[in-house]
Amino acid sequence: MAGTNVSHPGNTSYINLELNEKLVLDYLVVTLIIVLCLAFGVIGNLLVIKVYYCNIRVDPLSGRAFIPALAVMDLLSCVAGSTIYLVQNLQPASFSGDGFCKSLYVLAYSCSMGASLMLVIISVHRHRKVCMPFRRQFPVLLVKLSPFLAGGLGLLLTLPMIPVVGKYKYEHIYYNMHGQKCTVLYRTHMKVYFWIYFTVIASVFFGTCVVISALSFKIHRIIQKQILFRKSSTVSSDKSFSLTPSPHEKEESESELNSSTRGSSGRRSFSSILNNGTGTLRQARPKPKREKREYATMFLLISIIYVITWFPTLVVNGVKVIWSGIEEWSTPPAYVTLRLLNSLFTLNNIANPLIYFKFDREFRKHLLSFRCRK
């Protein structure tokens, strides 16, 4: 019944259906955005997993070997993160089930931190291959176990948040009603656990932003220097070993060719070689490693988008730590904006498949293939 407050024994639950209906309408735009992000994230990452596991032969020591594992982590993070925000938007004042709330938070944050740690592993792996090619590289076993290590460590780092999340009874100042929602308990009496949780979350995500940004820019800069050096050395070698003869030698060669060959095709072919100057040397010139440059740009974009999409979430959580209860006593435009900014990290999970489509030719080639070729 709308407008009914339901209290359970021991005052453990306080559900307000009228307030819930009002807040659901307030969060409607945010809810639709999350649903779209969830749909695109699931479809995109499933396509990435299918293509890289079924259609592309991946070298276990190449950077491409991490892409399907990262797609699995992105898929789990997208589903878990979107689920918890959908629950908060659809039951902002009528949530019940403390254990369910804790499970949602642990699953969402462990998957998100696992995906973040996967980006760190990928950045370190690429840094060693590009910047320290003659040093010891990642063994194949470590590459294959990296998603399990990242997921396990993410789950371990999420455990301190269990005591500080759950159902929370609050008073909504704008509507002057009470309700109950699933959230982080910023006003919990267990301050030690709360600060451990906040320190771990902030350290992991800020640390990930710093590490992957620094390593990605360094890798991109070194690859650009290698490409410029390769181009300059190719130009200098063309000048040093040019096959263009002097005018006198060219006349002698043409006269000898005319006397030895009678067909017009022989004259045309030899003249074309002389006019081209470098002849077969031009065809044998080493091309720039476009694939290497594209992979560098691809992982650089992944790192930049990760920082851009996660920064608003970190800022909103910092604001909630300083001003606990800001959503309860602010106006609808303010708390709707906070909820939207807090859920922008899901864009990171749907952006990666688009980046793979843009920079990986093999992915584009096999995207619409429904046969598993392995």
Side-chain angles (χ1 to χ4, degrees):
M1 289 188 303
T4 302
N5 296 335
V6 181
S7 298
H8 293 278
N11 199 26
T12 58
S13 180
Y14 197 89
I15 298 174
N16 191 322
L17 300 180
E18 182 181 358
L19 176 61
N20 194 82
E21 291 179 0
K22 295 178 181 295
L23 294 178
V24 166
L25 291 177
D26 290 340
Y27 291 130
L28 181 60
V29 175
V30 181
T31 303
L32 293 176
I33 293 174
I34 293 175
V35 171
L36 289 176
C37 291
L38 176 61
F40 282 111
V42 170
I43 295 173
N45 285 290
L46 284 178
L47 285 174
V48 171
I49 295 169
K50 175 261 175 188
V51 170
Y52 281 98
Y53 273 125
C54 292
N55 300 108
I56 299 178
R57 294 186 180 275
V58 179
D59 181 5
L61 293 180
S62 66
R64 185 185 274 173
F66 291 98
I67 293 179
L70 181 60
V72 172
M73 302 299 294
D74 282 338
L75 176 63
L76 295 176
S77 177
C78 180
V79 173
S82 300
T83 300
I84 193 170
Y85 283 115
L86 287 176
V87 169
Q88 289 179 335
N89 289 349
L90 297 177
Q91 292 185 319
S94 62
F95 183 84
S96 61
D98 192 66
F100 181 58
C101 179
K102 294 180 184 294
S103 301
L104 284 178
Y105 263 97
V106 170
L107 181 62
Y109 275 79
S110 60
C111 292
S112 299
M113 282 201 279
S116 303
L117 295 172
M118 273 299 301
L119 288 177
V120 173
I121 294 174
I122 294 172
S123 299
V124 174
H125 175 265
R126 287 184 51 77
H127 178 264
R128 294 190 69 86
K129 285 185 71 68
V130 175
C131 305
M132 297 180 287
F134 299 107
R135 295 189 182 181
R136 188 177 181 182
Q137 303 297 318
F138 279 23
V140 177
L141 182 61
L142 181 59
V143 174
K144 293 182 178 180
L145 292 179
S146 58
F148 301 100
L149 295 176
L153 184 57
L155 177 61
L156 182 64
L157 293 174
T158 313
L159 294 180
M161 77 181 306
I162 294 178
V164 295
V165 295
K167 59 182 182 181
Y168 172 63
K169 176 185 174 182
Y170 66 95
E171 180 183 3
H172 201 284
I173 303 300
Y174 182 80
Y175 289 114
N176 194 24
M177 296 180 182
H178 289 81
Q180 184 172 276
K181 62 181 179 179
C182 171
T183 186
V184 178
L185 306 176
Y186 294 99
R187 297 177 180 178
T188 180
H189 61 280
M190 294 180 287
K191 295 295 183 181
V192 175
Y193 287 99
F194 175 79
W195 285 110
I196 291 175
Y197 145 78
F198 184 74
T199 303
V200 169
I201 297 295
S203 300
V204 169
F205 290 116
F206 274 117
T208 301
C209 291
V210 172
V211 171
I212 65 176
S213 299
L215 293 182
S216 297
F217 278 107
K218 186 176 180 180
I219 292 169
H220 189 75
R221 185 179 59 185
I222 289 178
I223 290 179
Q224 291 298 322
K225 289 182 178 179
Q226 292 174 352
I227 293 173
L228 291 176
F229 175 78
R230 191 178 297 111
K231 287 182 178 180
S232 62
S233 63
T234 303
V235 172
S236 61
S237 64
D238 285 348
K239 292 180 179 178
S240 303
F241 300 100
S242 176
L243 297 180
T244 306
S246 63
H248 179 68
E249 293 175 346
K250 183 176 179 179
E251 292 176 0
E252 291 181 353
S253 300
E254 287 181 342
S255 62
E256 291 177 359
L257 180 66
N258 291 334
S259 61
S260 60
T261 59
R262 297 180 182 179
S264 60
S265 60
R267 289 196 298 271
R268 285 196 299 268
S269 62
F270 187 76
S271 299
S272 64
I273 293 176
L274 294 175
N275 292 329
N276 286 337
T278 56
T280 56
L281 182 62
R282 183 181 300 275
Q283 297 177 358
R285 179 187 302 171
K287 297 180 180 179
K289 294 185 178 180
R290 184 181 301 174
E291 183 177 342
K292 187 177 182 180
R293 180 174 54 189
E294 288 178 348
Y295 275 116
T297 306
M298 182 174 72
F299 285 109
L300 178 63
L301 276 178
I302 290 175
S303 304
I304 293 174
I305 291 177
Y306 174 86
V307 175
I308 293 175
T309 54
W310 268 103
F311 186 74
T313 301
L314 295 174
V315 171
V316 170
N317 279 276
V319 169
K320 289 182 178 180
V321 170
I322 298 173
W323 293 291
S324 59
I326 186 173
E327 287 188 346
E328 286 78 46
W329 50 260
S330 58
T331 58
Y335 60 71
V336 170
T337 302
L338 288 174
R339 184 65 58 87
L340 176 63
L341 293 175
N342 202 23
S343 58
L344 283 182
F345 77 93
T346 54
L347 294 176
N348 173 64
N349 307 125
I350 68 175
N352 290 347
L354 299 176
I355 296 175
Y356 304 147
F357 180 82
K358 171 65 177 177
F359 291 98
D360 194 339
R361 300 181 196 177
E362 290 292 318
F363 179 71
R364 293 197 300 270
K365 178 181 177 182
H366 298 288
L367 180 62
L368 298 179
S369 175
F370 295 97
R371 256 187 344 180
C372 190
R373 299 184 179 181
K374 287 189 178 180

